[in-house]
Each structure stands twice: as structure tokens, then as C-alpha cells.
Amino acid sequence: MKRILPVLLFALLLAVSCTSVPKRTIDTSAEYDFKPAKFELNPQNTVFSAEGSVTMWLNVPQYKGRFNGDYEILSASPETWRMMITGPFNMAVATVIIKGETADIFHEGKWDKGPWSAISKELFNAEIDGNLLSLMLGGRFRFDGLCADRSDGEQLCKTGRTFYKIKNGEVVEVASGELYIINEKPGWHGIHKSKNAFIFKNKKFTNVENFEDSLFEVPKEDEKDEFDEL
């Protein structure tokens, strides 16, 4: 898989970012009385489109620096996504179609295939799965794991190596290994290895009855992209 497209060079702000790094508050070393738990947040937001601004701190050899742009993301299911990122002057930066663990990314005038875990690391400096991406955008979030009540009225839940801090019925913080994400309304701030990784700022969310399947298919060489016709 090739690196993220060269056009990013025109959209990067190479100056050192002064954005502060929020502190992690989830304490995974304390003793908790975990019990099995299963719940779903925003169950009505299953199929949706979301728009907003995104900041990414790229850390690949060719493109190191901070990028500010906008996103439009379509979700047909927790496993099926179309992500479009634009830079200044509405310049197309990346289009990604995600299906489960595999993704196709459009760059240098052609589509390239690779594992979503690797592509997400280049875009967001961290692995972001569909369930977590849906949570950050305001979509449906499914949980099946363990939860413990805390004395401050909050809950700490975990599934595998990922922990969720819940307050007043919503997730306010996520910690997974060296990645933690803070809910900063109206968006989310991701930190990886104590350094800024990404910021999503949500501006528009729309429930959709369904999408055409073709929106999540890579067009053939002689075909126009379905999205360009909308």
C-alpha cells in the first residue's frame, strides 16, 4: 500500500502545533467490581451521514505535520463506510471506502487497497474501528463487555483492552492501549503516545433510510464515481 497521497503537501500546516494535549482520566490500575453488561447508545442512528471538520497530525515519513480539513462520512452499517476528506479550497485529499477490515483509498488518480488498520494509522495516527468511529460521529454504538459503578456516579466499562468512561448515559472518554480519546463537544480529541493524533468536530448529522450499494463500491476504470453524480 502506498503512502497517503502527495496532494496532502499542499494542505499541511508544517508549523509545530500549539494545540494542548488533554489529560487522560481513566485509571485502569484501580480495583473495580466489574459485572457483565450489554447496552446500545443512539440505536436510532444506524444509517447516517455526518459532516464536520477534522484535524490530523500526520506521522508518516513523507508528510509530517498538522493537517486541517473537512470530512463527509457515510455509514451504511458499522462495517460499511465511505469517508471523504477535503482540504483548503475544497480540494479533494482522500476518499476511503471501508468494508470490515479492508479499505480502498483513492489517491494519485487511482484506487489502492489495504487493511483499514494500516490506513487509519496513517490518517489518524491510531487504529479506529467502525464501532468507535460511529460513536465519535454520533451514530449507533454497541457495547458487550463488563461495567463497574464508581462512587462519583460514573461508570467504567471495558471490552478487551478498551475502556470507556460513561457519565449521564454518554461516553466521555475512551482508552485503548496508547490511544485515548476525550469527548470535547461538539467533537472528539484523540491522543496517541501522549501526542495529538486527531480532532473531529461534528457539524451536521443526518439519519438516512438507506444508501445505494454502489456508493460503497470502487468504480471501474471506465466508470464515474457514483458520488460525483449526487
Side-chain angles (χ1 to χ4, degrees):
M1 184 188 69
K2 295 183 179 180
R3 294 293 184 183
I4 300 301
L5 61 169
V7 73
L8 277 173
L9 283 173
F10 300 101
L12 288 176
L13 301 179
L14 297 178
V16 177
S17 169
C18 60
T19 302
S20 60
V21 179
K23 293 183 178 180
R24 167 176 165 161
T25 64
I26 290 179
D27 181 6
T28 59
S29 63
E31 293 291 331
Y32 298 100
D33 183 19
F34 284 109
K35 297 177 181 178
K38 188 175 183 179
F39 60 86
E40 192 170 313
L41 302 179
N42 302 322
Q44 73 280 8
N45 297 342
T46 303
V47 181
F48 63 86
S49 67
E51 299 177 33
S53 62
V54 62
T55 300
M56 298 179 286
W57 282 263
L58 300 180
N59 192 32
V60 294
Q62 297 98 319
Y63 320 113
K64 285 183 178 288
R66 170 177 165 170
F67 163 78
N68 290 310
D70 295 291
Y71 68 81
E72 182 172 0
I73 298 176
L74 315 180
S75 177
S77 76
E79 293 77 34
T80 308
W81 299 80
R82 182 186 178 105
M83 178 185 301
M84 294 149 288
I85 298 174
T86 56
F89 310 108
N90 203 33
M91 178 181 61
V93 173
T95 296
V96 187
I97 293 176
I98 308 162
K99 289 188 174 180
E101 297 180 358
T102 303
D104 292 271
I105 181 169
F106 185 77
H107 66 111
E108 297 181 33
K110 65 179 182 179
W111 289 91
D112 191 21
K113 184 182 292 291
W116 169 238
S117 58
I119 292 176
S120 66
K121 279 184 178 179
E122 292 199 352
L123 286 173
F124 306 118
N125 215 4
E127 291 186 35
I128 305 294
D129 64 21
N131 200 35
L132 184 52
L133 182 58
S134 182
L135 172 68
M136 292 191 296
L137 296 174
R140 178 175 59 177
F141 172 72
R142 295 169 172 171
F143 179 85
D144 188 356
L146 302 171
C147 288
D149 293 327
R150 303 187 347 161
S151 59
D152 54 10
E154 298 176 348
Q155 277 187 313
L156 184 65
C157 299
K158 68 175 182 176
T159 174
R161 62 194 292 266
T162 303
F163 290 79
Y164 303 88
K165 183 178 178 181
I166 300 175
K167 183 177 181 180
N168 297 327
E170 68 175 353
V171 178
V172 296
E173 187 174 345
V174 181
S176 180
E178 295 178 303
L179 169 69
Y180 65 96
I181 309 171
I182 309 294
N183 187 347
E184 296 180 329
K185 294 181 179 180
W188 294 76
H189 192 151
I191 298 92
H192 185 253
K193 293 184 177 179
S194 300
K195 295 182 179 180
N196 287 311
F198 60 83
I199 297 175
F200 278 98
K201 288 189 178 179
N202 307 317
K203 296 180 180 179
K204 183 178 180 182
F205 184 96
T206 306
N207 277 303
V208 180
E209 186 174 342
N210 58 64
F211 288 113
E212 293 291 335
D213 292 341
S214 54
L215 289 173
F216 304 93
E217 298 291 341
V218 176
K220 296 178 181 178
E221 290 185 8
D222 58 346
E223 291 180 338
K224 276 193 170 185
D225 191 326
E226 180 82 10
F227 194 81
D228 294 337
E229 303 299 319
L230 298 181

